Amino acid sequence: MTQQVKRAFKYRFYPTDEQAAELSRTFGCVRYVYNWALHMRSEAYALHSKNVGYAETDRALTVLKRQPDTAFLAEVAAVPLQQALRHLQTAFAAFFDKRAKYPRFKSKKKSRMSAAYTRAGFRWRNGQIFLAKMNAPLDIRWSRPLPEGADPSTVTVSRDSAGRWFVSLLCEDTITPAPATTNAVGIDAGITSLVTLSSGEKVTNPRHERRDRARLAKAQRELSRKAKDSANREKARRKAARVHARITDRRRDFLHKLTTRLVRENQTVVIEDLTVRNMLKNHKLARAISDASWTELRTMLEYKCAWYGRDLVTVDRWFPSSKLCGACGTVREEMSLNVREWTCECGTMHDRDVNAARNILAAGLAER
Ligand SMILES: [Zn+2]
């Protein structure tokens, strides 16, 4: 009863100077094409109520490459530019489906730089990757093995704000189902602890995070003191980006272990739908990071539950999980965030988060 799934395997790599230059040029062209096509599609819709699709943008791109002013687009690999048009198509589809906001222009400073190569854009030979327009293979650090006989269908190259290069290989992988169980767990997204489980277990933040956060705050303070556009500012920006990257890497690693365990141990996993929380602007560092990890945790639970044949149940976000007594069903009118323990009129003493996790579990099981 194994299952085939598409899965991305991400590694660091170290480009040669030529590769770095070629990729930087390609990233620039990818962003250019994406923005150009977004503008074209938006304008056609605004001025003529006309819906321009992928095929039309692809034809227009061929014309664009022949114009003297934009001939530079013909100098980089063609596949990543077409993929940019496909990504835009996906963004529009999500928008029309009401799953996402209207696509936004990619900015040079804020957007992640990446280029995607489908099979026509790379060669995979003897465990090495040769990208179009490059003679040497990528120097990849294989931190974990690819699945047996892996044959990547898409290769995505990116560079993060700390200046590190990554390559992500999309491969078919075989998933072996997890052992049968009837266990169920409710998960409460915490602020003091990362998550609290209905079993009473509190999962705290990964080791080193407190120290890393202090370092990040310091690096950001230093960055804010540097003069704009100065060389020192760029150095400070890199440093802050490196600390931030380390926090998110450790978090991701930690979340992978946690979600794999939760999905292996339980047939049913119940979570709260907290998407609305992410829409609230919050500049507090701790909150921003915990919101980001909640989104990531949820995404991981979604695909791992699908892989292993488990049920993920989402409870409505207006459900008063913290204020409801799990023993007698009384709902308290008010409870401020700093109340960690409380006693209900019925005499039951509650740990706020454990009670919330249990209520989420009960609501999830009742919904099914
Ligand atoms: Zn009670």
Side-chain angles (χ1 to χ4, degrees), residues 61-241:
L61 176 60
T62 310
V63 178
L64 189 71
K65 284 179 177 177
R66 292 196 201 111
Q67 313 292 323
D69 285 352
T70 42
F72 62 89
L73 295 173
E75 286 166 20
V76 301
V79 171
L81 305 188
Q82 273 176 319
Q83 284 304 107
L85 299 179
R86 289 212 175 84
H87 291 158
L88 180 63
Q89 177 71 17
T90 309
F92 268 107
F95 168 70
F96 288 128
D97 257 12
K98 298 190 165 57
R99 280 181 285 118
K101 290 184 189 164
Y102 195 81
R104 297 218 313 225
F105 288 100
K106 287 191 189 294
S107 88
K108 190 171 183 175
K109 280 214 171 129
K110 294 213 177 113
S111 305
R112 196 176 75 104
M113 284 182 283
S114 71
Y117 296 75
T118 51
R119 280 218 172 87
F122 72 91
R123 270 186 305 140
W124 168 246
R125 187 176 292 168
N126 302 327
Q128 290 191 308
I129 290 170
F130 297 79
L131 295 178
K133 305 263 180 191
M134 287 178 205
N135 298 319
L138 297 184
D139 178 14
I140 299 173
R141 297 301 135 91
W142 300 98
S143 46
R144 58 181 173 144
L146 280 178
E148 192 87 23
D151 183 16
S153 57
T154 306
V155 172
T156 305
V157 177
S158 60
R159 191 175 69 214
D160 71 8
S161 50
R164 303 176 308 169
W165 295 82
F166 295 94
V167 58
S168 167
L169 313 178
L170 192 65
C171 301
E172 287 266 330
D173 194 14
T174 309
I175 300 286
T176 314
T181 171
T182 51
N183 292 347
V185 68
I187 305 174
D188 178 58
I191 295 170
T192 45
S193 42
L194 184 60
V195 295
T196 302
L197 309 180
S198 52
S199 59
E201 181 184 342
K202 293 191 172 198
V203 180
T204 50
N205 290 324
R207 277 179 68 208
H208 313 297
E209 178 148 320
R210 187 186 287 266
R211 213 170 56 207
D212 281 345
R213 274 194 202 187
R215 283 198 184 121
L216 179 59
K218 183 165 167 259
Q220 286 180 335
R221 273 197 307 276
E222 271 163 25
L223 173 61
S224 68
R225 280 200 294 267
K226 301 284 185 248
K228 249 195 164 171
D229 296 323
S230 68
N232 278 339
R233 186 184 172 86
E234 177 56 21
K235 236 167 91 185
R237 192 197 62 75
R238 284 262 165 135
K239 187 176 177 198

Side-chain angles (χ1 to χ4, degrees), residues 69 251 279:
D69 285 352
R251 274 249 166 173
M279 292 172 192

